[in-house]
Amino acid sequence: MSRVFISRDMASVALGADDVARAFAQAGCEVVRTGARGLFSIEPLVEVETQAGRIGFGPVGPGDVAAVLDGTHAARLGEVEALPFFAGQQRFTFARCGVIDPLSLDDYAATGGWQGLDAARAQAAQQVVDTVKASGLRGRGGAGFPTGIKWQTVLDASAGDKYIVCNADEGDSGTFADRMLMEGDPYCLIEGMAIAAHAVGAGHGYIYIRSEYPFAIATMRAAIAASAHIVAPFTLEVREGAGAYVCGEETALLDSIEGKRGQVRAKPPLPALQGLFGRPTVINNVLSLAAVPFILAHGAEAYAAVGFGRSRGTMPVQLAGNVRHGGLYEVGFGITLGELVNAIGGGTASRRPVRAVQVGGPLGAYFPPSMFHLPFDYEAFAAAGGLIGHAGITVFDDSVDMAHMARFAMEFCAAESCGKCTPCRIGSTRGVEVMDRIIGARGTLKPVRPEPVEGRLFSSQEKGGASTGSARTGEGYLDRALYSRAPDRIDVSIEAQTALLRDLADTMKYGSLCALGGFTPYPVLSALDYFPEDFGAPAPLKEAAA
Amino acid sequence: MDEFIGAWTARHGATRDRLLPLLHAMQEEVGYIDDAWVPVIAKALNLSRADVHGVVTFYHDFRRVAPGRHVVKLCRAESCQARGGAGIEAAAAKLLGVAMGETRADGQVALEPVYCLGLCAIGPNALVDGRPVARIDAATLERIALEVAA
């Protein structure tokens, strides 16, 4: 009887893995359901256990059982780890994902599980915090704040109830690493949280998972129940989100757990001192907490040895959107954007030229291929006017209309704003209106770009029809664009509206309470700066084209 | 519903932080949160009606009217857009006979927006009655339309 491994990850299931698993079970195979390996162009993937190791086949369908089992199937991949997509990775956090049965405690223990927790519990709390500090681990949710310093603040806070909260409200489009880890290696996250609890003296923890991730919720609940005796006296529970993107912001998330509207809190006080229920709280992203078991088991030096500048360790990068080989690629910081998109991702799935990539989700900047030399590093991206965020890279081909993407960023902010601060709540709605005017005015100019046919046509030839002028500085235009009480007197020219858009973005960036309103200008302004031709302005000089 | 709320709070507690889990449980049970139940929830958890109303209306997941018999949640986020999501959205609306964000007049199917299902390398994606579907094209839409016609 053959033993085969088939993923139970939500993405694999969406591609038909359940039907494939059923077919193999009916053929008398022992089917082990694992997490996803992380390369979706080979899913549904079946790995057959042989004397020469696990041999992968993919993509396969339910009718391919016989050909896979006798080894003649055309989609034979050989050892999955040896594929180029996997050979170049440094899997610290995702070492087990796709390999083991996610809910098997035996598998977890046999692959080095609980070694980090055992090591931590043999040490004093301060020693554990020092190890995390020495590793250089920074918050993987996007802000990049040093995890060890956060833990130190909670450890030093007055005694009494403390909490560990895991932010698993992974709402950014183009990101799925949290989901994959929770579905593929849930005990790793539990171990990380138990280590954090030991380090700061917390007794209870929450994992706040968005409701769009039903598979992750079910897997985490089962894993918590199965491992309760191991992490005791620390206890854990899953809280399910309810479709509010803003709850990924840490203070809104805390309010949501408390049973309130997910509104952002003003800081200070920091959650580390007055967090959940007013108590000192460690709130970390899934990937931050899941990196901790490796650090404790292998030492801070082993983790810090990898990386770039002040960004130490590995980052699970997610290649998404219109990309040929999309998936999860865990690698040390410092790899360039171009290597990720072209060499590893293989360019676009549509085989058309890459025009833009958005890094860091809906609040991240759009970069053109001329920026592909950027190294993956918190500081390098910040200096370039963008952010790494949760390390999701969404690839767009040359059919994308960047003015529409800028409009979408504003529309999304308007839909998801918690409403607490004015720049975000009102600014986003005004932003949609301004973008509508720009898109409208663009249409009346000489054909800057042709009308899209079936949404998939773009010719880069017909550009440069717009008038020039001081659109970039907005000098003199802003006043005329601001006659909101006299709509007939508003200057709806591209120059005036672009000046207004920049002014609005400035207000949102510096006046918003949290990153939702504060970072929405990143996609909007980067689209405007790098792709002005889509906003009816002349194309930029090809500066430093790589 | 009074009985359901009473039994639920007896089992899971009646502190304020139980509000979201209770709303999820109610919606799981009957499909939506009727405005008439808001005072009952408020009383059970010792909150004001305004508080409960505020929470129910804040979160996109909670419905205040009964949903369609079938719910198609189609992703509108950037990664699905990069793979032709806008065209699929328009085609889905036409094929299912219902605008995005609406329930069809006969109550058979609702088309709801969702912002990211975390399947971003294999879009456009949807949840059809909770089942994930990826790489949606015209043929997939036909299958979904048949499925929700039943």
Side-chain angles (χ1 to χ4, degrees):
Chain A
M1 190 177 70
S2 301
R3 197 159 183 237
V4 300
F5 300 86
I6 300 173
S7 162
R8 44 177 276 173
D9 184 273
M10 186 167 159
S12 311
V13 171
L15 292 172
D18 280 355
D19 291 340
V20 175
R22 213 170 294 123
F24 275 91
Q26 276 164 6
C29 295
E30 182 197 349
V31 179
V32 179
R33 299 303 295 269
T34 63
R37 286 282 194 172
L39 174 59
F40 295 110
S41 52
I42 59 168
E43 293 277 355
L45 169 71
V46 177
E47 289 177 70
V48 184
E49 195 170 65
T50 70
Q51 279 165 350
R54 279 161 69 160
I55 303 300
F57 296 84
V60 299
D64 299 336
V65 176
V68 167
L69 290 178
D70 65 21
T72 58
H73 195 279
R76 187 180 194 276
L77 302 166
E79 260 189 275
V80 174
E81 280 104 342
L83 293 175
F85 187 87
F86 295 99
Q89 296 198 39
Q90 291 161 300
R91 288 214 166 184
F92 290 5
T93 304
F94 279 80
R96 290 182 205 90
C97 195
V99 180
I100 64 165
D101 172 354
L103 288 172
S104 162
L105 283 169
D106 291 342
D107 279 10
Y108 188 68
T111 48
W114 310 118
Q115 283 178 7
L117 181 60
D118 291 343
R121 285 184 168 170
Q123 300 172 21
Q126 185 60 56
Q127 250 181 304
V128 177
V129 173
D130 288 342
T131 303
V132 174
K133 274 190 204 160
S135 74
L137 177 65
R138 294 167 69 178
R140 296 286 186 254
F145 187 82
T147 305
I149 296 187
K150 198 183 264 189
W151 288 18
Q152 184 72 59
T153 312
V154 179
L155 173 62
D156 293 341
S158 60
D161 288 342
K162 294 178 186 176
Y163 296 102
I164 309 293
V165 174
C166 172
N167 183 346
D169 195 57
E170 185 181 46
D172 290 353
S173 177
T175 64
F176 43 82
D178 294 355
R179 183 186 62 68
M180 266 183 63
L181 187 100
M182 290 188 287
E183 293 183 27
D185 194 9
Y187 296 130
C188 179
L189 174 59
I190 291 172
E191 185 179 355
M193 292 183 72
I195 293 169
H198 173 73
V200 304
H204 190 63
Y206 294 88
I207 306 174
Y208 187 95
I209 309 177
R210 59 202 298 263
S211 60
E212 291 86 345
Y213 284 0
F215 287 48
I217 292 171
T219 307
M220 281 313 312
R221 286 200 166 127
I224 287 170
S227 64
H229 63 287
I230 296 169
V231 299
F234 180 60
T235 51
L236 270 169
E237 67 180 286
V238 168
R239 280 305 178 87
E240 184 179 349
Y245 174 77
V246 74
C247 288
E249 198 284 332
E250 59 180 11
T251 59
L253 187 151
L254 296 177
D255 266 19
S256 187
I257 293 179
E258 291 178 6
K260 300 172 187 162
R261 298 157 64 94
Q263 286 194 309
V264 176
R265 300 178 186 172
K267 286 190 267 191
L270 293 171
L273 296 171
Q274 289 177 45
L276 190 63
F277 306 116
R279 304 297 313 167
T281 302
V282 168
I283 177 161
N284 278 138
N285 176 256
V286 173
L287 300 180
S288 315
L289 290 162
V292 170
F294 177 94
I295 292 167
L296 268 292
H298 300 274
E301 298 77 22
Y303 193 78
V306 172
F308 182 91
R310 286 174 51 216
S311 307
R312 307 314 308 174
T314 61
M315 190 75 205
V317 176
Q318 299 124 82
L319 294 167
N322 195 339
V323 62
R324 211 167 139 204
H325 299 300
L328 182 118
Y329 196 90
E330 182 175 351
V331 69
F333 284 96
I335 188 169
T336 67
L337 195 49
E339 282 175 82
L340 286 166
V341 174
N342 292 325
I344 294 155
T348 65
S350 58
R351 308 293 172 96
R352 300 171 65 112
V354 175
R355 180 146 190 255
V357 296
Q358 186 180 29
V359 185
L363 307 176
Y366 287 101
F367 290 117
S370 62
M371 300 291 282
F372 276 11
H373 61 277
L374 271 184
F376 225 73
D377 164 56
Y378 288 105
E379 279 70 32
F381 267 66
L387 49 114
I388 288 181
H390 198 49
I393 300 178
T394 300
V395 181
F396 292 82
D397 71 12
D398 61 357
S399 67
V400 67
D401 177 343
M402 295 309 297
H404 274 118
M405 297 320 295
R407 184 192 185 280
F408 179 79
M410 286 292 191
E411 183 192 353
F412 183 73
C413 181
E416 299 296 335
S417 175
C418 84
K420 190 157 182 169
C421 72
T422 314
C424 174
R425 184 183 69 245
I426 311 262
S428 52
T429 299
R430 293 287 94 87
V432 173
E433 294 165 5
V434 173
M435 280 313 307
D436 280 340
R437 281 187 218 118
I438 290 174
I439 291 168
R442 186 183 72 175
T444 65
L445 295 169
K446 282 216 176 280
V448 170
R449 50 180 299 128
E451 282 299 304
V453 176
E454 293 166 350
R456 303 292 288 180
L457 179 83
F458 174 71
S459 158
S460 57
Q461 304 308 312
E462 301 175 68
K463 285 174 189 165
S467 60
T468 51
S470 53
R472 283 190 160 234
T473 58
E475 226 172 291
Y477 286 114
L478 195 54
D479 288 344
R480 279 183 281 144
L482 274 172
Y483 277 112
S484 60
R485 287 181 193 173
D488 52 320
R489 287 167 61 199
I490 295 181
D491 183 348
V492 294
S493 72
I494 296 236
E495 290 81 2
Q497 293 299 320
T498 306
L500 185 57
L501 184 67
R502 287 188 184 280
D503 188 68
L504 176 65
D506 200 59
T507 304
M508 289 176 72
K509 185 173 178 180
Y510 295 105
S512 296
L513 203 50
C514 83
L516 179 50
F519 287 5
T520 293
Y522 280 115
V524 175
L525 292 184
S526 60
L528 180 58
D529 287 337
Y530 292 121
F531 308 93
E533 65 274 23
D534 284 14
F535 293 73
L541 296 173
K542 289 276 175 251
E543 56 206 312
Chain B
M1 216 57 213
D2 297 41
E3 252 174 57
F4 179 88
I5 295 169
W8 193 92
T9 48
R11 183 148 177 244
H12 299 280
T15 46
R16 148 141 235 165
D17 70 299
R18 293 286 141 186
L19 178 54
L20 262 76
L22 172 61
L23 293 174
H24 273 304
M26 289 175 70
Q27 188 151 297
E28 180 79 8
E29 182 77 10
V30 290
Y32 69 112
I33 315 286
D34 195 295
D35 284 348
W37 304 328
V38 167
V40 188
I41 300 167
K43 188 146 191 263
L45 299 187
N46 195 24
L47 298 169
S48 74
R49 278 181 285 165
D51 240 346
V52 177
H53 176 81
V55 169
V56 172
T57 52
F58 181 87
Y59 293 96
H60 299 302
D61 277 5
F62 299 129
R63 301 188 189 91
R64 294 165 69 200
V65 292
R69 276 183 286 283
H70 298 280
V71 179
V72 178
K73 291 189 176 193
L74 190 64
C75 181
R76 296 196 67 218
E78 288 89 343
S79 294
C80 284
Q81 289 189 39
R83 300 177 66 94
I88 291 297
E89 183 181 327
K94 202 170 157 202
L95 201 60
L96 300 175
V98 56
M100 180 54 102
E102 309 271 330
T103 302
R104 204 163 76 193
D106 63 1
Q108 183 65 24
V109 58
L111 182 61
E112 297 182 353
V114 63
Y115 292 95
C116 199
L117 296 166
L119 314 173
C120 308
I122 50 172
N125 305 305
L127 279 180
V128 180
D129 293 331
R131 183 176 55 88
V133 185
R135 290 195 190 128
I136 297 177
D137 55 15
T140 323
L141 280 180
E142 297 278 354
R143 281 200 295 278
I144 292 173
L146 275 178
E147 196 181 323
V148 300

